[in-house]
Amino acid sequence: MAANPYDPITTTDFTKLTDDDWGLTLPPLRYKTYTGSSRFKYLCNELRKRPWCVIITLAVLCIVILISIVIGATSQKEGGHPTRHPTGDEPDWDPNNSLVFYPANKSILIRFNPENIDDVKTNVWSLHNVTEGYLLTEQLGDDFVTCNSTYQPFNKTCKNERTQFGSVCTEQNKYGYSDAQPCVFIQLNLPDNRVITPISKDSPLWEIAKAQPAGYSDSSRVPVTCAGTVSVNLFIFYYFLGKGHHINQEWILYFPNTGFPSYIYRRRDMSLPFLKPALFVQFPALKDEQLVHVTCTAWGQLYDFNKTLVKHDLLRTQFALYIRRG
């Protein structure tokens, strides 16, 4: 009987077949390797075959280099930062702040054109009004006396003369606004039931106060400093003007540079005139069309009349400066 072709396979054939048994021959495999120099030669050969690739690559590279040069030149021109224009949304000027500044406008932005007579007059008039009471001619009579750290009578007004602000920030000099070197008047504006002293080691503000400038040894005065509000503003102030004239090794100048007399705020007759401690701050090296936010700090601590420390943050005020010509 013939074998059934559908019977299951019951044997195993272990015969090894080769390509020759099937009549097949496969070429040997070869792997091409490249050394560093060989790769470079191969790339050069390929580029020679495709000159249009070389042209496109060089064109793209030139464009990238050109863009980098333009950006670098612009950054260098603007002090490393692009021009910043007033945003129009600066906070309102607050006359009730503990530190108040002038010239005063609707916002904290002091914007002016040094070549515009009206702009200069507006700022000069604002500063004239707030500093007029500090003129010596306004402090004549028996109600006014010269005070110091040990003498500040209750029934007298302590003199606070205009001469202490120096000869730079004056009305005759247009307070620097016609020369693009604006002066800002900073006034200590405390409630009547507060006194102020320099920060001492027993104050909770002592750790913060370690950042205050060195060299203030007069315990009867409160140091005042101003600086760029954010890091970008630190690059706006320069040591030099015009053709390289040196500016007293300071970016910001203070008149006087000794801060506020702390003894003027005290128990006193509220019916008498009162001249708040103040100083001028000048910015002699601003750049045109560069918005600069400034923060000024009074390094003092507040007490009430019972010698109780009034916990508070450091006294600060903020304003912005912008010079616009044309």
Side-chain angles (χ1 to χ4, degrees):
M1 175 183 258
N4 187 347
Y6 299 103
D7 285 342
I9 297 174
T10 57
T11 62
T12 303
D13 187 356
F14 292 97
T15 303
K16 295 183 179 179
L17 299 178
T18 64
D19 293 338
D20 293 337
D21 295 325
W22 293 96
L24 300 174
T25 56
L26 296 176
L29 296 177
R30 295 180 181 178
Y31 298 93
K32 191 172 183 179
T33 59
Y34 293 93
T35 62
S37 60
S38 298
R39 291 194 186 99
F40 180 75
K41 291 179 181 178
Y42 175 77
L43 179 59
C44 290
N45 290 331
E46 291 299 316
L47 289 176
R48 288 194 190 100
K49 297 176 184 178
R50 301 175 178 84
W52 55 270
C53 290
V54 179
I55 296 174
I56 294 176
T57 302
L58 291 177
V60 172
L61 184 60
C62 290
I63 292 173
V64 172
I65 293 174
L66 182 60
I67 292 174
S68 301
I69 293 174
V70 171
I71 293 175
T74 303
S75 298
Q76 181 68 23
K77 182 179 179 180
E78 297 301 333
H81 298 276
T83 300
R84 299 178 60 199
H85 296 277
T87 61
D89 58 358
E90 279 76 20
D92 292 339
W93 179 77
D94 183 7
N96 299 314
N97 195 33
S98 297
L99 286 181
V100 64
F101 70 87
Y102 299 87
N105 207 330
K106 294 180 180 179
S107 77
I108 67 168
L109 178 63
I110 302 174
R111 177 177 179 173
F112 67 99
N113 180 353
E115 300 170 350
N116 186 301
I117 296 177
D118 291 336
D119 276 5
V120 173
K121 281 185 177 180
T122 298
N123 291 311
V124 169
W125 183 248
S126 176
L127 290 171
H128 168 79
N129 286 339
V130 73
T131 60
E132 186 176 16
Y134 293 86
L135 294 173
L136 181 59
T137 55
E138 299 293 324
Q139 302 178 54
L140 302 176
D142 295 337
D143 289 337
F144 292 88
V145 296
T146 300
C147 298
N148 55 45
S149 59
T150 59
Y151 178 72
Q152 59 284 144
F154 169 84
N155 60 344
K156 299 291 181 179
T157 296
C158 289
K159 288 184 178 180
N160 208 340
E161 296 180 13
R162 177 65 179 78
T163 54
Q164 68 176 307
F165 304 139
S167 59
V168 175
C169 295
T170 64
E171 187 169 355
Q172 291 75 15
N173 293 337
K174 302 294 188 295
Y175 298 103
Y177 285 86
S178 59
D179 298 323
Q181 300 180 35
C183 295
V184 178
F185 193 64
I186 308 293
Q187 199 176 59
L188 185 61
N189 184 36
L190 301 182
D192 291 332
N193 60 345
R194 295 285 186 267
V195 295
I196 189 170
T197 66
I199 299 172
S200 61
K201 290 185 177 180
D202 60 351
S203 169
L205 297 176
W206 177 249
E207 289 300 318
I208 303 175
K210 289 181 179 179
Q212 68 180 304
Y216 285 90
S217 58
D218 190 346
S219 60
S220 68
R221 304 189 76 89
V222 174
V224 178
T225 61
C226 299
T229 302
V230 293
S231 59
V232 66
N233 296 147
L234 300 179
F235 297 94
I236 308 306
F237 306 115
Y238 292 89
Y239 283 108
F240 301 98
L241 276 179
K243 297 182 180 179
H245 298 292
H246 198 259
I247 305 183
N248 196 25
Q249 297 204 357
E250 293 287 346
W251 297 329
I252 305 174
L253 305 179
Y254 305 86
F255 307 98
N257 60 6
T258 53
F260 296 134
S262 60
Y263 48 81
I264 290 183
Y265 276 98
R266 68 201 190 283
R267 289 185 185 274
R268 53 189 170 80
D269 184 348
M270 299 299 180
S271 66
L272 295 175
F274 179 68
L275 294 171
K276 300 174 182 178
L279 54 79
F280 267 108
V281 183
Q282 187 186 29
F283 302 87
L286 292 177
K287 295 185 67 178
D288 289 357
E289 298 185 356
Q290 180 72 59
L291 182 65
V292 181
H293 284 89
V294 179
T295 298
C296 294
T297 303
W299 300 89
Q301 55 193 13
L302 298 183
Y303 291 88
D304 61 20
F305 288 148
N306 296 321
K307 304 283 186 171
T308 301
L309 179 65
V310 179
K311 293 184 179 181
H312 65 293
D313 295 328
L314 289 173
L315 304 183
R316 289 191 171 102
T317 189
Q318 294 185 357
F319 52 88
L321 296 164
Y322 185 79
I323 297 175
R324 173 186 53 82
R325 297 181 188 267

